PDB file of all heavy atoms in Angstrom:
ATOM      1  N   PHE B  60     -28.866  20.911 -91.369  1.00  0.00           N
ATOM      2  CA  PHE B  60     -28.304  22.014 -92.146  1.00  0.00           C
ATOM      3  C   PHE B  60     -29.413  22.934 -92.669  1.00  0.00           C
ATOM      4  O   PHE B  60     -29.281  24.150 -92.663  1.00  0.00           O
ATOM      5  CB  PHE B  60     -27.470  21.482 -93.311  1.00  0.00           C
ATOM      6  CG  PHE B  60     -26.032  21.255 -92.954  1.00  0.00           C
ATOM      7  CD1 PHE B  60     -25.534  19.973 -92.774  1.00  0.00           C
ATOM      8  CD2 PHE B  60     -25.182  22.329 -92.790  1.00  0.00           C
ATOM      9  CE1 PHE B  60     -24.202  19.769 -92.432  1.00  0.00           C
ATOM     10  CE2 PHE B  60     -23.855  22.132 -92.457  1.00  0.00           C
ATOM     11  CZ  PHE B  60     -23.359  20.846 -92.267  1.00  0.00           C
ATOM     12  N   ALA B  61     -30.537  22.313 -93.136  1.00  0.00           N
ATOM     13  CA  ALA B  61     -31.643  23.114 -93.659  1.00  0.00           C
ATOM     14  C   ALA B  61     -32.211  24.021 -92.577  1.00  0.00           C
ATOM     15  O   ALA B  61     -32.466  25.207 -92.827  1.00  0.00           O
ATOM     16  CB  ALA B  61     -32.734  22.195 -94.214  1.00  0.00           C
ATOM     17  N   VAL B  62     -32.380  23.472 -91.375  1.00  0.00           N
ATOM     18  CA  VAL B  62     -32.949  24.281 -90.286  1.00  0.00           C
ATOM     19  C   VAL B  62     -32.034  25.459 -89.982  1.00  0.00           C
ATOM     20  O   VAL B  62     -32.485  26.606 -89.869  1.00  0.00           O
ATOM     21  CB  VAL B  62     -33.162  23.405 -89.024  1.00  0.00           C
ATOM     22  CG1 VAL B  62     -33.537  24.267 -87.841  1.00  0.00           C
ATOM     23  CG2 VAL B  62     -34.231  22.363 -89.289  1.00  0.00           C
ATOM     24  N   VAL B  63     -30.721  25.191 -89.906  1.00  0.00           N
ATOM     25  CA  VAL B  63     -29.771  26.272 -89.609  1.00  0.00           C
ATOM     26  C   VAL B  63     -29.811  27.321 -90.720  1.00  0.00           C
ATOM     27  O   VAL B  63     -29.838  28.525 -90.463  1.00  0.00           O
ATOM     28  CB  VAL B  63     -28.340  25.710 -89.445  1.00  0.00           C
ATOM     29  CG1 VAL B  63     -27.347  26.850 -89.243  1.00  0.00           C
ATOM     30  CG2 VAL B  63     -28.282  24.756 -88.286  1.00  0.00           C
ATOM     31  N   GLN B  64     -29.878  26.842 -91.987  1.00  0.00           N
ATOM     32  CA  GLN B  64     -29.866  27.797 -93.101  1.00  0.00           C
ATOM     33  C   GLN B  64     -31.124  28.660 -93.104  1.00  0.00           C
ATOM     34  O   GLN B  64     -31.077  29.851 -93.422  1.00  0.00           O
ATOM     35  CB  GLN B  64     -29.723  27.058 -94.429  1.00  0.00           C
ATOM     36  CG  GLN B  64     -29.280  27.998 -95.537  1.00  0.00           C
ATOM     37  CD  GLN B  64     -29.197  27.322 -96.878  1.00  0.00           C
ATOM     38  OE1 GLN B  64     -29.219  26.095 -96.958  1.00  0.00           O
ATOM     39  NE2 GLN B  64     -29.109  28.110 -97.921  1.00  0.00           N
ATOM     40  N   ILE B  65     -32.269  28.045 -92.738  1.00  0.00           N
ATOM     41  CA  ILE B  65     -33.506  28.833 -92.675  1.00  0.00           C
ATOM     42  C   ILE B  65     -33.358  29.936 -91.626  1.00  0.00           C
ATOM     43  O   ILE B  65     -33.741  31.091 -91.855  1.00  0.00           O
ATOM     44  CB  ILE B  65     -34.713  27.917 -92.382  1.00  0.00           C
ATOM     45  CG1 ILE B  65     -35.042  27.094 -93.631  1.00  0.00           C
ATOM     46  CG2 ILE B  65     -35.928  28.725 -91.951  1.00  0.00           C
ATOM     47  CD1 ILE B  65     -36.102  26.048 -93.441  1.00  0.00           C
ATOM     48  N   ILE B  66     -32.741  29.578 -90.492  1.00  0.00           N
ATOM     49  CA  ILE B  66     -32.550  30.597 -89.454  1.00  0.00           C
ATOM     50  C   ILE B  66     -31.609  31.693 -89.953  1.00  0.00           C
ATOM     51  O   ILE B  66     -31.847  32.885 -89.748  1.00  0.00           O
ATOM     52  CB  ILE B  66     -32.022  29.939 -88.154  1.00  0.00           C
ATOM     53  CG1 ILE B  66     -33.088  29.005 -87.592  1.00  0.00           C
ATOM     54  CG2 ILE B  66     -31.643  30.997 -87.130  1.00  0.00           C
ATOM     55  CD1 ILE B  66     -32.627  28.136 -86.458  1.00  0.00           C
ATOM     56  N   VAL B  67     -30.531  31.282 -90.664  1.00  0.00           N
ATOM     57  CA  VAL B  67     -29.589  32.271 -91.212  1.00  0.00           C
ATOM     58  C   VAL B  67     -30.325  33.247 -92.136  1.00  0.00           C
ATOM     59  O   VAL B  67     -30.157  34.465 -92.052  1.00  0.00           O
ATOM     60  CB  VAL B  67     -28.440  31.565 -91.968  1.00  0.00           C
ATOM     61  CG1 VAL B  67     -27.680  32.548 -92.837  1.00  0.00           C
ATOM     62  CG2 VAL B  67     -27.492  30.909 -90.981  1.00  0.00           C
ATOM     63  N   HIS B  68     -31.188  32.698 -93.020  1.00  0.00           N
ATOM     64  CA  HIS B  68     -31.938  33.566 -93.935  1.00  0.00           C
ATOM     65  C   HIS B  68     -32.866  34.504 -93.179  1.00  0.00           C
ATOM     66  O   HIS B  68     -32.998  35.675 -93.521  1.00  0.00           O
ATOM     67  CB  HIS B  68     -32.748  32.712 -94.911  1.00  0.00           C
ATOM     68  CG  HIS B  68     -31.965  32.278 -96.093  1.00  0.00           C
ATOM     69  ND1 HIS B  68     -32.263  32.673 -97.372  1.00  0.00           N
ATOM     70  CD2 HIS B  68     -30.875  31.494 -96.188  1.00  0.00           C
ATOM     71  CE1 HIS B  68     -31.386  32.144 -98.198  1.00  0.00           C
ATOM     72  NE2 HIS B  68     -30.536  31.418 -97.513  1.00  0.00           N
ATOM     73  N   MET B  69     -33.524  33.976 -92.157  1.00  0.00           N
ATOM     74  CA  MET B  69     -34.446  34.796 -91.360  1.00  0.00           C
ATOM     75  C   MET B  69     -33.704  35.969 -90.720  1.00  0.00           C
ATOM     76  O   MET B  69     -34.215  37.086 -90.687  1.00  0.00           O
ATOM     77  CB  MET B  69     -35.069  33.943 -90.240  1.00  0.00           C
ATOM     78  CG  MET B  69     -36.075  32.952 -90.731  1.00  0.00           C
ATOM     79  SD  MET B  69     -37.648  33.765 -90.955  1.00  0.00           S
ATOM     80  CE  MET B  69     -38.606  32.446 -91.651  1.00  0.00           C
ATOM     81  N   VAL B  70     -32.503  35.694 -90.214  1.00  0.00           N
ATOM     82  CA  VAL B  70     -31.785  36.728 -89.475  1.00  0.00           C
ATOM     83  C   VAL B  70     -31.106  37.719 -90.427  1.00  0.00           C
ATOM     84  O   VAL B  70     -31.253  38.929 -90.287  1.00  0.00           O
ATOM     85  CB  VAL B  70     -30.743  36.089 -88.534  1.00  0.00           C
ATOM     86  CG1 VAL B  70     -29.857  37.155 -87.910  1.00  0.00           C
ATOM     87  CG2 VAL B  70     -31.434  35.273 -87.463  1.00  0.00           C
ATOM     88  N   PHE B  71     -30.371  37.186 -91.439  1.00  0.00           N
ATOM     89  CA  PHE B  71     -29.524  38.078 -92.238  1.00  0.00           C
ATOM     90  C   PHE B  71     -30.244  38.674 -93.442  1.00  0.00           C
ATOM     91  O   PHE B  71     -29.898  39.745 -93.895  1.00  0.00           O
ATOM     92  CB  PHE B  71     -28.266  37.344 -92.693  1.00  0.00           C
ATOM     93  CG  PHE B  71     -27.306  37.064 -91.574  1.00  0.00           C
ATOM     94  CD1 PHE B  71     -27.259  35.814 -90.980  1.00  0.00           C
ATOM     95  CD2 PHE B  71     -26.478  38.068 -91.089  1.00  0.00           C
ATOM     96  CE1 PHE B  71     -26.386  35.565 -89.933  1.00  0.00           C
ATOM     97  CE2 PHE B  71     -25.607  37.827 -90.043  1.00  0.00           C
ATOM     98  CZ  PHE B  71     -25.563  36.574 -89.463  1.00  0.00           C
ATOM     99  N   PHE B  72     -31.237  37.959 -93.998  1.00  0.00           N
ATOM    100  CA  PHE B  72     -31.923  38.481 -95.181  1.00  0.00           C
ATOM    101  C   PHE B  72     -33.283  39.084 -94.835  1.00  0.00           C
ATOM    102  O   PHE B  72     -33.651  40.135 -95.354  1.00  0.00           O
ATOM    103  CB  PHE B  72     -32.095  37.374 -96.227  1.00  0.00           C
ATOM    104  CG  PHE B  72     -30.803  36.933 -96.854  1.00  0.00           C
ATOM    105  CD1 PHE B  72     -30.686  35.690 -97.458  1.00  0.00           C
ATOM    106  CD2 PHE B  72     -29.689  37.762 -96.860  1.00  0.00           C
ATOM    107  CE1 PHE B  72     -29.496  35.282 -98.041  1.00  0.00           C
ATOM    108  CE2 PHE B  72     -28.487  37.368 -97.435  1.00  0.00           C
ATOM    109  CZ  PHE B  72     -28.392  36.122 -98.020  1.00  0.00           C
ATOM    110  N   LEU B  73     -34.040  38.395 -93.989  1.00  0.00           N
ATOM    111  CA  LEU B  73     -35.362  38.924 -93.632  1.00  0.00           C
ATOM    112  C   LEU B  73     -35.298  39.845 -92.418  1.00  0.00           C
ATOM    113  O   LEU B  73     -36.288  40.464 -92.045  1.00  0.00           O
ATOM    114  CB  LEU B  73     -36.333  37.768 -93.364  1.00  0.00           C
ATOM    115  CG  LEU B  73     -36.819  37.060 -94.638  1.00  0.00           C
ATOM    116  CD1 LEU B  73     -37.444  35.721 -94.300  1.00  0.00           C
ATOM    117  CD2 LEU B  73     -37.844  37.907 -95.366  1.00  0.00           C
ATOM    118  N   HIS B  74     -34.109  39.937 -91.791  1.00  0.00           N
ATOM    119  CA  HIS B  74     -33.879  40.847 -90.656  1.00  0.00           C
ATOM    120  C   HIS B  74     -34.904  40.668 -89.554  1.00  0.00           C
ATOM    121  O   HIS B  74     -35.454  41.640 -89.038  1.00  0.00           O
ATOM    122  CB  HIS B  74     -33.861  42.305 -91.122  1.00  0.00           C
ATOM    123  CG  HIS B  74     -32.996  42.530 -92.303  1.00  0.00           C
ATOM    124  ND1 HIS B  74     -31.646  42.254 -92.307  1.00  0.00           N
ATOM    125  CD2 HIS B  74     -33.273  42.959 -93.549  1.00  0.00           C
ATOM    126  CE1 HIS B  74     -31.140  42.523 -93.484  1.00  0.00           C
ATOM    127  NE2 HIS B  74     -32.103  42.938 -94.268  1.00  0.00           N
ATOM    128  N   MET B  75     -35.191  39.426 -89.219  1.00  0.00           N
ATOM    129  CA  MET B  75     -36.113  39.181 -88.119  1.00  0.00           C
ATOM    130  C   MET B  75     -35.392  39.389 -86.795  1.00  0.00           C
ATOM    131  O   MET B  75     -34.322  38.828 -86.568  1.00  0.00           O
ATOM    132  CB  MET B  75     -36.613  37.728 -88.161  1.00  0.00           C
ATOM    133  CG  MET B  75     -37.719  37.498 -89.124  1.00  0.00           C
ATOM    134  SD  MET B  75     -39.198  38.370 -88.645  1.00  0.00           S
ATOM    135  CE  MET B  75     -39.633  37.465 -87.178  1.00  0.00           C
ATOM    136  N   THR B  76     -35.977  40.203 -85.958  1.00  0.00           N
ATOM    137  CA  THR B  76     -35.512  40.284 -84.579  1.00  0.00           C
ATOM    138  C   THR B  76     -36.750  40.208 -83.703  1.00  0.00           C
ATOM    139  O   THR B  76     -37.851  40.465 -84.190  1.00  0.00           O
ATOM    140  CB  THR B  76     -34.781  41.611 -84.280  1.00  0.00           C
ATOM    141  OG1 THR B  76     -35.715  42.672 -84.542  1.00  0.00           O
ATOM    142  CG2 THR B  76     -33.562  41.795 -85.141  1.00  0.00           C
ATOM    143  N   PRO B  77     -36.574  39.851 -82.445  1.00  0.00           N
ATOM    144  CA  PRO B  77     -37.764  39.788 -81.578  1.00  0.00           C
ATOM    145  C   PRO B  77     -38.476  41.129 -81.499  1.00  0.00           C
ATOM    146  O   PRO B  77     -39.646  41.200 -81.151  1.00  0.00           O
ATOM    147  CB  PRO B  77     -37.185  39.389 -80.214  1.00  0.00           C
ATOM    148  CG  PRO B  77     -35.915  38.707 -80.534  1.00  0.00           C
ATOM    149  CD  PRO B  77     -35.373  39.376 -81.761  1.00  0.00           C
ATOM    150  N   ALA B  78     -37.777  42.228 -81.846  1.00  0.00           N
ATOM    151  CA  ALA B  78     -38.370  43.553 -81.690  1.00  0.00           C
ATOM    152  C   ALA B  78     -39.073  44.054 -82.954  1.00  0.00           C
ATOM    153  O   ALA B  78     -39.731  45.085 -82.912  1.00  0.00           O
ATOM    154  CB  ALA B  78     -37.301  44.550 -81.288  1.00  0.00           C
ATOM    155  N   SER B  79     -38.949  43.322 -84.116  1.00  0.00           N
ATOM    156  CA  SER B  79     -39.561  43.841 -85.338  1.00  0.00           C
ATOM    157  C   SER B  79     -41.056  44.036 -85.158  1.00  0.00           C
ATOM    158  O   SER B  79     -41.742  43.165 -84.619  1.00  0.00           O
ATOM    159  CB  SER B  79     -39.346  42.894 -86.522  1.00  0.00           C
ATOM    160  OG  SER B  79     -38.190  42.144 -86.385  1.00  0.00           O
ATOM    161  N   GLU B  80     -41.550  45.177 -85.633  1.00  0.00           N
ATOM    162  CA  GLU B  80     -42.980  45.518 -85.573  1.00  0.00           C
ATOM    163  C   GLU B  80     -43.523  45.345 -84.154  1.00  0.00           C
ATOM    164  O   GLU B  80     -44.620  44.832 -83.955  1.00  0.00           O
ATOM    165  CB  GLU B  80     -43.782  44.641 -86.540  1.00  0.00           C
ATOM    166  CG  GLU B  80     -43.369  44.764 -87.986  1.00  0.00           C
ATOM    167  CD  GLU B  80     -43.838  46.058 -88.633  1.00  0.00           C
ATOM    168  OE1 GLU B  80     -44.663  46.759 -88.013  1.00  0.00           O
ATOM    169  OE2 GLU B  80     -43.367  46.363 -89.744  1.00  0.00           O
ATOM    170  N   GLY B  81     -42.735  45.727 -83.185  1.00  0.00           N
ATOM    171  CA  GLY B  81     -43.181  45.642 -81.809  1.00  0.00           C
ATOM    172  C   GLY B  81     -43.461  44.221 -81.355  1.00  0.00           C
ATOM    173  O   GLY B  81     -44.299  43.985 -80.488  1.00  0.00           O
ATOM    174  N   GLY B  82     -42.741  43.252 -81.958  1.00  0.00           N
ATOM    175  CA  GLY B  82     -42.891  41.868 -81.519  1.00  0.00           C
ATOM    176  C   GLY B  82     -43.943  41.084 -82.261  1.00  0.00           C
ATOM    177  O   GLY B  82     -44.002  39.867 -82.149  1.00  0.00           O
ATOM    178  N   TRP B  83     -44.781  41.768 -83.046  1.00  0.00           N
ATOM    179  CA  TRP B  83     -45.879  41.058 -83.717  1.00  0.00           C
ATOM    180  C   TRP B  83     -45.380  40.133 -84.808  1.00  0.00           C
ATOM    181  O   TRP B  83     -45.952  39.055 -85.028  1.00  0.00           O
ATOM    182  CB  TRP B  83     -46.887  42.055 -84.289  1.00  0.00           C
ATOM    183  CG  TRP B  83     -47.678  42.728 -83.217  1.00  0.00           C
ATOM    184  CD1 TRP B  83     -47.521  44.006 -82.768  1.00  0.00           C
ATOM    185  CD2 TRP B  83     -48.700  42.145 -82.415  1.00  0.00           C
ATOM    186  NE1 TRP B  83     -48.395  44.249 -81.743  1.00  0.00           N
ATOM    187  CE2 TRP B  83     -49.130  43.134 -81.508  1.00  0.00           C
ATOM    188  CE3 TRP B  83     -49.296  40.887 -82.369  1.00  0.00           C
ATOM    189  CZ2 TRP B  83     -50.132  42.886 -80.561  1.00  0.00           C
ATOM    190  CZ3 TRP B  83     -50.293  40.647 -81.434  1.00  0.00           C
ATOM    191  CH2 TRP B  83     -50.698  41.640 -80.549  1.00  0.00           C
ATOM    192  N   SER B  84     -44.317  40.524 -85.511  1.00  0.00           N
ATOM    193  CA  SER B  84     -43.767  39.645 -86.551  1.00  0.00           C
ATOM    194  C   SER B  84     -43.326  38.327 -85.942  1.00  0.00           C
ATOM    195  O   SER B  84     -43.618  37.251 -86.454  1.00  0.00           O
ATOM    196  CB  SER B  84     -42.575  40.287 -87.229  1.00  0.00           C
ATOM    197  OG  SER B  84     -42.922  41.512 -87.759  1.00  0.00           O
ATOM    198  N   MET B  85     -42.592  38.442 -84.833  1.00  0.00           N
ATOM    199  CA  MET B  85     -42.083  37.233 -84.188  1.00  0.00           C
ATOM    200  C   MET B  85     -43.237  36.363 -83.692  1.00  0.00           C
ATOM    201  O   MET B  85     -43.225  35.145 -83.855  1.00  0.00           O
ATOM    202  CB  MET B  85     -41.160  37.639 -83.027  1.00  0.00           C
ATOM    203  CG  MET B  85     -40.406  36.502 -82.403  1.00  0.00           C
ATOM    204  SD  MET B  85     -39.476  35.521 -83.584  1.00  0.00           S
ATOM    205  CE  MET B  85     -37.900  36.342 -83.547  1.00  0.00           C
ATOM    206  N   LEU B  86     -44.269  37.020 -83.154  1.00  0.00           N
ATOM    207  CA  LEU B  86     -45.424  36.271 -82.654  1.00  0.00           C
ATOM    208  C   LEU B  86     -46.088  35.503 -83.789  1.00  0.00           C
ATOM    209  O   LEU B  86     -46.396  34.313 -83.670  1.00  0.00           O
ATOM    210  CB  LEU B  86     -46.411  37.242 -82.023  1.00  0.00           C
ATOM    211  CG  LEU B  86     -47.377  36.645 -81.002  1.00  0.00           C
ATOM    212  CD1 LEU B  86     -46.605  36.103 -79.830  1.00  0.00           C
ATOM    213  CD2 LEU B  86     -48.379  37.690 -80.561  1.00  0.00           C
ATOM    214  N   ALA B  87     -46.271  36.197 -84.931  1.00  0.00           N
ATOM    215  CA  ALA B  87     -46.891  35.534 -86.089  1.00  0.00           C
ATOM    216  C   ALA B  87     -46.011  34.394 -86.570  1.00  0.00           C
ATOM    217  O   ALA B  87     -46.506  33.323 -86.941  1.00  0.00           O
ATOM    218  CB  ALA B  87     -47.098  36.551 -87.215  1.00  0.00           C
ATOM    219  N   LEU B  88     -44.690  34.614 -86.546  1.00  0.00           N
ATOM    220  CA  LEU B  88     -43.760  33.575 -87.000  1.00  0.00           C
ATOM    221  C   LEU B  88     -43.842  32.348 -86.092  1.00  0.00           C
ATOM    222  O   LEU B  88     -43.930  31.208 -86.578  1.00  0.00           O
ATOM    223  CB  LEU B  88     -42.338  34.132 -87.020  1.00  0.00           C
ATOM    224  CG  LEU B  88     -41.256  33.142 -87.416  1.00  0.00           C
ATOM    225  CD1 LEU B  88     -41.453  32.692 -88.857  1.00  0.00           C
ATOM    226  CD2 LEU B  88     -39.881  33.750 -87.247  1.00  0.00           C
ATOM    227  N   ILE B  89     -43.842  32.592 -84.787  1.00  0.00           N
ATOM    228  CA  ILE B  89     -43.895  31.462 -83.844  1.00  0.00           C
ATOM    229  C   ILE B  89     -45.189  30.677 -84.038  1.00  0.00           C
ATOM    230  O   ILE B  89     -45.191  29.446 -84.112  1.00  0.00           O
ATOM    231  CB  ILE B  89     -43.770  31.975 -82.388  1.00  0.00           C
ATOM    232  CG1 ILE B  89     -42.364  32.526 -82.148  1.00  0.00           C
ATOM    233  CG2 ILE B  89     -44.065  30.864 -81.404  1.00  0.00           C
ATOM    234  CD1 ILE B  89     -42.220  33.277 -80.843  1.00  0.00           C
ATOM    235  N   PHE B  90     -46.287  31.406 -84.176  1.00  0.00           N
ATOM    236  CA  PHE B  90     -47.589  30.756 -84.394  1.00  0.00           C
ATOM    237  C   PHE B  90     -47.548  29.904 -85.668  1.00  0.00           C
ATOM    238  O   PHE B  90     -47.980  28.744 -85.685  1.00  0.00           O
ATOM    239  CB  PHE B  90     -48.671  31.835 -84.499  1.00  0.00           C
ATOM    240  CG  PHE B  90     -50.041  31.291 -84.758  1.00  0.00           C
ATOM    241  CD1 PHE B  90     -50.622  30.420 -83.864  1.00  0.00           C
ATOM    242  CD2 PHE B  90     -50.744  31.659 -85.885  1.00  0.00           C
ATOM    243  CE1 PHE B  90     -51.893  29.910 -84.098  1.00  0.00           C
ATOM    244  CE2 PHE B  90     -52.007  31.163 -86.130  1.00  0.00           C
ATOM    245  CZ  PHE B  90     -52.588  30.285 -85.237  1.00  0.00           C
ATOM    246  N   THR B  91     -46.967  30.479 -86.740  1.00  0.00           N
ATOM    247  CA  THR B  91     -46.896  29.743 -88.008  1.00  0.00           C
ATOM    248  C   THR B  91     -46.029  28.501 -87.866  1.00  0.00           C
ATOM    249  O   THR B  91     -46.383  27.434 -88.371  1.00  0.00           O
ATOM    250  CB  THR B  91     -46.331  30.648 -89.108  1.00  0.00           C
ATOM    251  OG1 THR B  91     -47.028  31.889 -89.072  1.00  0.00           O
ATOM    252  CG2 THR B  91     -46.484  30.020 -90.459  1.00  0.00           C
ATOM    253  N   VAL B  92     -44.887  28.670 -87.181  1.00  0.00           N
ATOM    254  CA  VAL B  92     -43.992  27.516 -87.028  1.00  0.00           C
ATOM    255  C   VAL B  92     -44.706  26.394 -86.271  1.00  0.00           C
ATOM    256  O   VAL B  92     -44.616  25.219 -86.646  1.00  0.00           O
ATOM    257  CB  VAL B  92     -42.696  27.938 -86.300  1.00  0.00           C
ATOM    258  CG1 VAL B  92     -41.889  26.713 -85.902  1.00  0.00           C
ATOM    259  CG2 VAL B  92     -41.866  28.831 -87.192  1.00  0.00           C
ATOM    260  N   ILE B  93     -45.464  26.771 -85.226  1.00  0.00           N
ATOM    261  CA  ILE B  93     -46.200  25.747 -84.471  1.00  0.00           C
ATOM    262  C   ILE B  93     -47.185  25.028 -85.392  1.00  0.00           C
ATOM    263  O   ILE B  93     -47.256  23.790 -85.420  1.00  0.00           O
ATOM    264  CB  ILE B  93     -46.937  26.387 -83.274  1.00  0.00           C
ATOM    265  CG1 ILE B  93     -45.924  26.871 -82.235  1.00  0.00           C
ATOM    266  CG2 ILE B  93     -47.889  25.384 -82.633  1.00  0.00           C
ATOM    267  CD1 ILE B  93     -46.534  27.672 -81.111  1.00  0.00           C
TER     268      ILE B  93
END
Side-chain angles (χ1 to χ4, degrees):
Chain B
F60 271 106
V62 171
V63 176
Q64 198 183 346
I65 287 174
I66 295 171
V67 165
H68 275 244
M69 288 278 176
V70 172
F71 289 100
F72 291 158
L73 285 164
H74 312 301
M75 279 294 292
T76 59
S79 332
E80 300 285 349
W83 289 105
S84 303
M85 189 53 92
L86 203 63
L88 177 65
I89 292 169
F90 179 60
T91 311
V92 169
I93 291 172

